[in-house]
Amino acid sequence: MDNDKQALATNELTTIPLDHNWYQKLASNFEIIQPYLDKLDTDELGLNDLKDKFDDLSDKINVYETNMQAIVNILSDYDVPIAIVDGKVVNTTEEGE
């Protein structure tokens, strides 16, 4: 794909009659657009890699949350005054006790 930016013929395509010049401008538009479509078709954008990374991160977050809940449950069994509130471990004793 060229690094040179090519402009699409847009307003010029509405002229009548639909002569050979119109056809050439339309064909030129498709020549400019085609490399971008090819790039999308071959997944050069790395969308699959991005999805895999997101899924991996989601799995790690789930493991972290599960482990944190297990720790809080164990400490609660030993009367440690903590709980998970809004995703954070907090002390459940009120001030002044």
Side-chain angles (χ1 to χ4, degrees):
M1 195 175 333
D2 287 343
N3 287 338
D4 300 332
K5 295 278 183 175
Q6 296 177 333
L8 296 175
T10 55
N11 295 340
E12 301 166 16
L13 292 176
T14 60
T15 59
I16 297 183
L18 302 179
D19 58 5
H20 185 69
N21 186 33
W22 180 88
Y23 171 79
Q24 286 179 320
K25 289 179 182 177
L26 183 62
S28 174
N29 280 353
F30 284 107
E31 289 173 2
I32 293 168
I33 294 169
Q34 188 61 51
Y36 296 98
L37 295 174
D38 292 342
K39 187 173 183 177
L40 288 174
D41 288 343
T42 60
D43 194 33
E44 287 180 30
L45 296 176
L47 295 179
N48 286 334
D49 292 338
L50 186 58
K51 183 187 177 305
D52 291 342
K53 288 178 183 177
F54 177 79
D55 290 343
D56 184 49
L57 184 57
S58 293
D59 291 342
K60 288 179 181 178
I61 289 172
N62 288 337
V63 168
Y64 170 79
E65 289 173 348
T66 301
N67 288 343
M68 187 58 63
Q69 185 63 54
I71 291 168
V72 168
N73 291 345
I74 291 168
L75 292 175
S76 293
D77 289 344
Y78 289 96
D79 295 327
V80 176
I82 64 170
I84 296 178
V85 178
D86 295 327
K88 297 178 183 176
V89 177
V90 295
N91 185 342
T92 59
T93 59
E94 297 196 25
E95 291 184 27
E97 280 189 23

PDB file of all heavy atoms in Angstrom, residues 53-77:
ATOM      1  N   LYS A  53      -5.879 -11.411  23.833  1.00  0.00           N
ATOM      2  CA  LYS A  53      -5.303 -10.711  24.985  1.00  0.00           C
ATOM      3  C   LYS A  53      -6.395 -10.298  25.959  1.00  0.00           C
ATOM      4  O   LYS A  53      -6.228 -10.396  27.173  1.00  0.00           O
ATOM      5  CB  LYS A  53      -4.509  -9.492  24.530  1.00  0.00           C
ATOM      6  CG  LYS A  53      -3.209  -9.849  23.857  1.00  0.00           C
ATOM      7  CD  LYS A  53      -2.460  -8.631  23.380  1.00  0.00           C
ATOM      8  CE  LYS A  53      -1.201  -9.037  22.638  1.00  0.00           C
ATOM      9  NZ  LYS A  53      -0.490  -7.881  22.094  1.00  0.00           N
ATOM     10  N   PHE A  54      -7.521  -9.838  25.419  1.00  0.00           N
ATOM     11  CA  PHE A  54      -8.644  -9.448  26.279  1.00  0.00           C
ATOM     12  C   PHE A  54      -9.174 -10.655  27.043  1.00  0.00           C
ATOM     13  O   PHE A  54      -9.434 -10.571  28.248  1.00  0.00           O
ATOM     14  CB  PHE A  54      -9.764  -8.813  25.441  1.00  0.00           C
ATOM     15  CG  PHE A  54     -10.976  -8.465  26.238  1.00  0.00           C
ATOM     16  CD1 PHE A  54     -11.009  -7.318  27.014  1.00  0.00           C
ATOM     17  CD2 PHE A  54     -12.089  -9.297  26.237  1.00  0.00           C
ATOM     18  CE1 PHE A  54     -12.121  -6.997  27.764  1.00  0.00           C
ATOM     19  CE2 PHE A  54     -13.208  -8.980  26.988  1.00  0.00           C
ATOM     20  CZ  PHE A  54     -13.230  -7.825  27.756  1.00  0.00           C
ATOM     21  N   ASP A  55      -9.351 -11.780  26.342  1.00  0.00           N
ATOM     22  CA  ASP A  55      -9.840 -12.992  26.999  1.00  0.00           C
ATOM     23  C   ASP A  55      -8.881 -13.451  28.091  1.00  0.00           C
ATOM     24  O   ASP A  55      -9.308 -13.856  29.181  1.00  0.00           O
ATOM     25  CB  ASP A  55     -10.047 -14.113  25.979  1.00  0.00           C
ATOM     26  CG  ASP A  55     -11.219 -13.849  25.050  1.00  0.00           C
ATOM     27  OD1 ASP A  55     -12.064 -12.995  25.371  1.00  0.00           O
ATOM     28  OD2 ASP A  55     -11.273 -14.503  23.984  1.00  0.00           O
ATOM     29  N   ASP A  56      -7.569 -13.376  27.810  1.00  0.00           N
ATOM     30  CA  ASP A  56      -6.561 -13.773  28.797  1.00  0.00           C
ATOM     31  C   ASP A  56      -6.625 -12.862  30.024  1.00  0.00           C
ATOM     32  O   ASP A  56      -6.575 -13.339  31.160  1.00  0.00           O
ATOM     33  CB  ASP A  56      -5.172 -13.741  28.163  1.00  0.00           C
ATOM     34  CG  ASP A  56      -4.097 -14.241  29.096  1.00  0.00           C
ATOM     35  OD1 ASP A  56      -4.282 -15.330  29.683  1.00  0.00           O
ATOM     36  OD2 ASP A  56      -3.066 -13.543  29.244  1.00  0.00           O
ATOM     37  N   LEU A  57      -6.760 -11.563  29.780  1.00  0.00           N
ATOM     38  CA  LEU A  57      -6.844 -10.615  30.884  1.00  0.00           C
ATOM     39  C   LEU A  57      -8.113 -10.850  31.706  1.00  0.00           C
ATOM     40  O   LEU A  57      -8.089 -10.796  32.934  1.00  0.00           O
ATOM     41  CB  LEU A  57      -6.809  -9.179  30.356  1.00  0.00           C
ATOM     42  CG  LEU A  57      -6.787  -8.066  31.387  1.00  0.00           C
ATOM     43  CD1 LEU A  57      -5.596  -8.227  32.332  1.00  0.00           C
ATOM     44  CD2 LEU A  57      -6.743  -6.716  30.706  1.00  0.00           C
ATOM     45  N   SER A  58      -9.221 -11.134  31.029  1.00  0.00           N
ATOM     46  CA  SER A  58     -10.476 -11.427  31.737  1.00  0.00           C
ATOM     47  C   SER A  58     -10.322 -12.653  32.625  1.00  0.00           C
ATOM     48  O   SER A  58     -10.806 -12.671  33.769  1.00  0.00           O
ATOM     49  CB  SER A  58     -11.612 -11.653  30.740  1.00  0.00           C
ATOM     50  OG  SER A  58     -11.918 -10.472  30.066  1.00  0.00           O
ATOM     51  N   ASP A  59      -9.655 -13.684  32.108  1.00  0.00           N
ATOM     52  CA  ASP A  59      -9.417 -14.890  32.907  1.00  0.00           C
ATOM     53  C   ASP A  59      -8.577 -14.571  34.136  1.00  0.00           C
ATOM     54  O   ASP A  59      -8.867 -15.051  35.240  1.00  0.00           O
ATOM     55  CB  ASP A  59      -8.722 -15.969  32.074  1.00  0.00           C
ATOM     56  CG  ASP A  59      -9.617 -16.548  30.989  1.00  0.00           C
ATOM     57  OD1 ASP A  59     -10.850 -16.386  31.077  1.00  0.00           O
ATOM     58  OD2 ASP A  59      -9.067 -17.156  30.041  1.00  0.00           O
ATOM     59  N   LYS A  60      -7.541 -13.761  33.970  1.00  0.00           N
ATOM     60  CA  LYS A  60      -6.674 -13.399  35.096  1.00  0.00           C
ATOM     61  C   LYS A  60      -7.447 -12.597  36.146  1.00  0.00           C
ATOM     62  O   LYS A  60      -7.264 -12.797  37.346  1.00  0.00           O
ATOM     63  CB  LYS A  60      -5.469 -12.610  34.611  1.00  0.00           C
ATOM     64  CG  LYS A  60      -4.469 -13.466  33.869  1.00  0.00           C
ATOM     65  CD  LYS A  60      -3.285 -12.666  33.377  1.00  0.00           C
ATOM     66  CE  LYS A  60      -2.319 -13.570  32.620  1.00  0.00           C
ATOM     67  NZ  LYS A  60      -1.180 -12.832  32.081  1.00  0.00           N
ATOM     68  N   ILE A  61      -8.319 -11.707  35.689  1.00  0.00           N
ATOM     69  CA  ILE A  61      -9.125 -10.922  36.629  1.00  0.00           C
ATOM     70  C   ILE A  61     -10.071 -11.834  37.395  1.00  0.00           C
ATOM     71  O   ILE A  61     -10.237 -11.683  38.616  1.00  0.00           O
ATOM     72  CB  ILE A  61      -9.894  -9.805  35.885  1.00  0.00           C
ATOM     73  CG1 ILE A  61      -8.920  -8.733  35.422  1.00  0.00           C
ATOM     74  CG2 ILE A  61     -10.986  -9.195  36.765  1.00  0.00           C
ATOM     75  CD1 ILE A  61      -9.528  -7.686  34.509  1.00  0.00           C
ATOM     76  N   ASN A  62     -10.667 -12.788  36.715  1.00  0.00           N
ATOM     77  CA  ASN A  62     -11.573 -13.723  37.396  1.00  0.00           C
ATOM     78  C   ASN A  62     -10.837 -14.542  38.448  1.00  0.00           C
ATOM     79  O   ASN A  62     -11.355 -14.767  39.542  1.00  0.00           O
ATOM     80  CB  ASN A  62     -12.259 -14.644  36.382  1.00  0.00           C
ATOM     81  CG  ASN A  62     -13.297 -13.926  35.556  1.00  0.00           C
ATOM     82  OD1 ASN A  62     -13.828 -12.903  35.970  1.00  0.00           O
ATOM     83  ND2 ASN A  62     -13.586 -14.450  34.381  1.00  0.00           N
ATOM     84  N   VAL A  63      -9.624 -15.007  38.127  1.00  0.00           N
ATOM     85  CA  VAL A  63      -8.816 -15.768  39.088  1.00  0.00           C
ATOM     86  C   VAL A  63      -8.468 -14.881  40.278  1.00  0.00           C
ATOM     87  O   VAL A  63      -8.575 -15.300  41.436  1.00  0.00           O
ATOM     88  CB  VAL A  63      -7.544 -16.331  38.411  1.00  0.00           C
ATOM     89  CG1 VAL A  63      -6.563 -16.852  39.446  1.00  0.00           C
ATOM     90  CG2 VAL A  63      -7.899 -17.414  37.415  1.00  0.00           C
ATOM     91  N   TYR A  64      -8.079 -13.639  40.011  1.00  0.00           N
ATOM     92  CA  TYR A  64      -7.734 -12.702  41.083  1.00  0.00           C
ATOM     93  C   TYR A  64      -8.924 -12.490  42.015  1.00  0.00           C
ATOM     94  O   TYR A  64      -8.789 -12.560  43.239  1.00  0.00           O
ATOM     95  CB  TYR A  64      -7.289 -11.366  40.475  1.00  0.00           C
ATOM     96  CG  TYR A  64      -7.151 -10.258  41.478  1.00  0.00           C
ATOM     97  CD1 TYR A  64      -6.025 -10.162  42.291  1.00  0.00           C
ATOM     98  CD2 TYR A  64      -8.161  -9.311  41.633  1.00  0.00           C
ATOM     99  CE1 TYR A  64      -5.911  -9.142  43.219  1.00  0.00           C
ATOM    100  CE2 TYR A  64      -8.050  -8.298  42.562  1.00  0.00           C
ATOM    101  CZ  TYR A  64      -6.925  -8.216  43.352  1.00  0.00           C
ATOM    102  OH  TYR A  64      -6.817  -7.215  44.286  1.00  0.00           O
ATOM    103  N   GLU A  65     -10.110 -12.224  41.414  1.00  0.00           N
ATOM    104  CA  GLU A  65     -11.298 -11.990  42.239  1.00  0.00           C
ATOM    105  C   GLU A  65     -11.679 -13.223  43.056  1.00  0.00           C
ATOM    106  O   GLU A  65     -12.057 -13.111  44.223  1.00  0.00           O
ATOM    107  CB  GLU A  65     -12.467 -11.545  41.355  1.00  0.00           C
ATOM    108  CG  GLU A  65     -12.277 -10.144  40.803  1.00  0.00           C
ATOM    109  CD  GLU A  65     -13.354  -9.748  39.792  1.00  0.00           C
ATOM    110  OE1 GLU A  65     -14.116 -10.624  39.347  1.00  0.00           O
ATOM    111  OE2 GLU A  65     -13.406  -8.556  39.456  1.00  0.00           O
ATOM    112  N   THR A  66     -11.554 -14.392  42.450  1.00  0.00           N
ATOM    113  CA  THR A  66     -11.852 -15.639  43.162  1.00  0.00           C
ATOM    114  C   THR A  66     -10.896 -15.839  44.322  1.00  0.00           C
ATOM    115  O   THR A  66     -11.304 -16.192  45.437  1.00  0.00           O
ATOM    116  CB  THR A  66     -11.791 -16.833  42.189  1.00  0.00           C
ATOM    117  OG1 THR A  66     -12.731 -16.617  41.134  1.00  0.00           O
ATOM    118  CG2 THR A  66     -12.090 -18.140  42.891  1.00  0.00           C
ATOM    119  N   ASN A  67      -9.608 -15.606  44.062  1.00  0.00           N
ATOM    120  CA  ASN A  67      -8.605 -15.755  45.127  1.00  0.00           C
ATOM    121  C   ASN A  67      -8.829 -14.743  46.247  1.00  0.00           C
ATOM    122  O   ASN A  67      -8.704 -15.081  47.433  1.00  0.00           O
ATOM    123  CB  ASN A  67      -7.198 -15.608  44.564  1.00  0.00           C
ATOM    124  CG  ASN A  67      -6.776 -16.794  43.722  1.00  0.00           C
ATOM    125  OD1 ASN A  67      -7.371 -17.866  43.793  1.00  0.00           O
ATOM    126  ND2 ASN A  67      -5.760 -16.605  42.903  1.00  0.00           N
ATOM    127  N   MET A  68      -9.152 -13.511  45.883  1.00  0.00           N
ATOM    128  CA  MET A  68      -9.373 -12.473  46.899  1.00  0.00           C
ATOM    129  C   MET A  68     -10.575 -12.835  47.765  1.00  0.00           C
ATOM    130  O   MET A  68     -10.538 -12.702  48.996  1.00  0.00           O
ATOM    131  CB  MET A  68      -9.589 -11.112  46.234  1.00  0.00           C
ATOM    132  CG  MET A  68      -9.665  -9.972  47.218  1.00  0.00           C
ATOM    133  SD  MET A  68      -8.201  -9.791  48.263  1.00  0.00           S
ATOM    134  CE  MET A  68      -6.964  -9.425  47.065  1.00  0.00           C
ATOM    135  N   GLN A  69     -11.642 -13.336  47.143  1.00  0.00           N
ATOM    136  CA  GLN A  69     -12.824 -13.739  47.912  1.00  0.00           C
ATOM    137  C   GLN A  69     -12.490 -14.897  48.849  1.00  0.00           C
ATOM    138  O   GLN A  69     -12.931 -14.922  49.999  1.00  0.00           O
ATOM    139  CB  GLN A  69     -13.974 -14.132  46.973  1.00  0.00           C
ATOM    140  CG  GLN A  69     -15.260 -14.435  47.687  1.00  0.00           C
ATOM    141  CD  GLN A  69     -15.825 -13.241  48.430  1.00  0.00           C
ATOM    142  OE1 GLN A  69     -16.014 -12.185  47.830  1.00  0.00           O
ATOM    143  NE2 GLN A  69     -16.066 -13.379  49.717  1.00  0.00           N
ATOM    144  N   ALA A  70     -11.666 -15.844  48.370  1.00  0.00           N
ATOM    145  CA  ALA A  70     -11.273 -16.974  49.217  1.00  0.00           C
ATOM    146  C   ALA A  70     -10.469 -16.495  50.421  1.00  0.00           C
ATOM    147  O   ALA A  70     -10.679 -16.970  51.546  1.00  0.00           O
ATOM    148  CB  ALA A  70     -10.472 -17.986  48.402  1.00  0.00           C
ATOM    149  N   ILE A  71      -9.576 -15.547  50.219  1.00  0.00           N
ATOM    150  CA  ILE A  71      -8.774 -15.006  51.329  1.00  0.00           C
ATOM    151  C   ILE A  71      -9.671 -14.306  52.343  1.00  0.00           C
ATOM    152  O   ILE A  71      -9.539 -14.494  53.560  1.00  0.00           O
ATOM    153  CB  ILE A  71      -7.680 -14.055  50.797  1.00  0.00           C
ATOM    154  CG1 ILE A  71      -6.631 -14.852  50.016  1.00  0.00           C
ATOM    155  CG2 ILE A  71      -7.034 -13.262  51.921  1.00  0.00           C
ATOM    156  CD1 ILE A  71      -5.674 -13.992  49.223  1.00  0.00           C
ATOM    157  N   VAL A  72     -10.587 -13.490  51.855  1.00  0.00           N
ATOM    158  CA  VAL A  72     -11.510 -12.792  52.757  1.00  0.00           C
ATOM    159  C   VAL A  72     -12.352 -13.792  53.533  1.00  0.00           C
ATOM    160  O   VAL A  72     -12.568 -13.633  54.743  1.00  0.00           O
ATOM    161  CB  VAL A  72     -12.395 -11.794  51.971  1.00  0.00           C
ATOM    162  CG1 VAL A  72     -13.550 -11.280  52.820  1.00  0.00           C
ATOM    163  CG2 VAL A  72     -11.555 -10.634  51.463  1.00  0.00           C
ATOM    164  N   ASN A  73     -12.831 -14.838  52.870  1.00  0.00           N
ATOM    165  CA  ASN A  73     -13.631 -15.856  53.561  1.00  0.00           C
ATOM    166  C   ASN A  73     -12.828 -16.544  54.660  1.00  0.00           C
ATOM    167  O   ASN A  73     -13.339 -16.777  55.760  1.00  0.00           O
ATOM    168  CB  ASN A  73     -14.159 -16.889  52.564  1.00  0.00           C
ATOM    169  CG  ASN A  73     -15.202 -16.320  51.633  1.00  0.00           C
ATOM    170  OD1 ASN A  73     -15.752 -15.254  51.870  1.00  0.00           O
ATOM    171  ND2 ASN A  73     -15.459 -17.027  50.547  1.00  0.00           N
ATOM    172  N   ILE A  74     -11.578 -16.886  54.362  1.00  0.00           N
ATOM    173  CA  ILE A  74     -10.721 -17.540  55.369  1.00  0.00           C
ATOM    174  C   ILE A  74     -10.490 -16.621  56.557  1.00  0.00           C
ATOM    175  O   ILE A  74     -10.620 -17.023  57.720  1.00  0.00           O
ATOM    176  CB  ILE A  74      -9.378 -17.981  54.739  1.00  0.00           C
ATOM    177  CG1 ILE A  74      -9.611 -19.126  53.755  1.00  0.00           C
ATOM    178  CG2 ILE A  74      -8.375 -18.367  55.820  1.00  0.00           C
ATOM    179  CD1 ILE A  74      -8.415 -19.436  52.883  1.00  0.00           C
ATOM    180  N   LEU A  75     -10.164 -15.356  56.272  1.00  0.00           N
ATOM    181  CA  LEU A  75      -9.911 -14.409  57.371  1.00  0.00           C
ATOM    182  C   LEU A  75     -11.188 -14.154  58.169  1.00  0.00           C
ATOM    183  O   LEU A  75     -11.134 -13.992  59.394  1.00  0.00           O
ATOM    184  CB  LEU A  75      -9.328 -13.107  56.832  1.00  0.00           C
ATOM    185  CG  LEU A  75      -7.912 -13.230  56.263  1.00  0.00           C
ATOM    186  CD1 LEU A  75      -7.475 -11.910  55.634  1.00  0.00           C
ATOM    187  CD2 LEU A  75      -6.929 -13.662  57.339  1.00  0.00           C
ATOM    188  N   SER A  76     -12.325 -14.128  57.503  1.00  0.00           N
ATOM    189  CA  SER A  76     -13.603 -13.943  58.214  1.00  0.00           C
ATOM    190  C   SER A  76     -13.880 -15.113  59.150  1.00  0.00           C
ATOM    191  O   SER A  76     -14.446 -14.930  60.223  1.00  0.00           O
ATOM    192  CB  SER A  76     -14.752 -13.793  57.219  1.00  0.00           C
ATOM    193  OG  SER A  76     -14.619 -12.601  56.494  1.00  0.00           O
ATOM    194  N   ASP A  77     -13.472 -16.313  58.741  1.00  0.00           N
ATOM    195  CA  ASP A  77     -13.633 -17.489  59.609  1.00  0.00           C
ATOM    196  C   ASP A  77     -12.845 -17.327  60.904  1.00  0.00           C
ATOM    197  O   ASP A  77     -13.191 -17.920  61.927  1.00  0.00           O
ATOM    198  CB  ASP A  77     -13.192 -18.767  58.884  1.00  0.00           C
ATOM    199  CG  ASP A  77     -14.153 -19.170  57.775  1.00  0.00           C
ATOM    200  OD1 ASP A  77     -15.303 -18.662  57.764  1.00  0.00           O
ATOM    201  OD2 ASP A  77     -13.750 -19.984  56.918  1.00  0.00           O
TER     202      ASP A  77
END
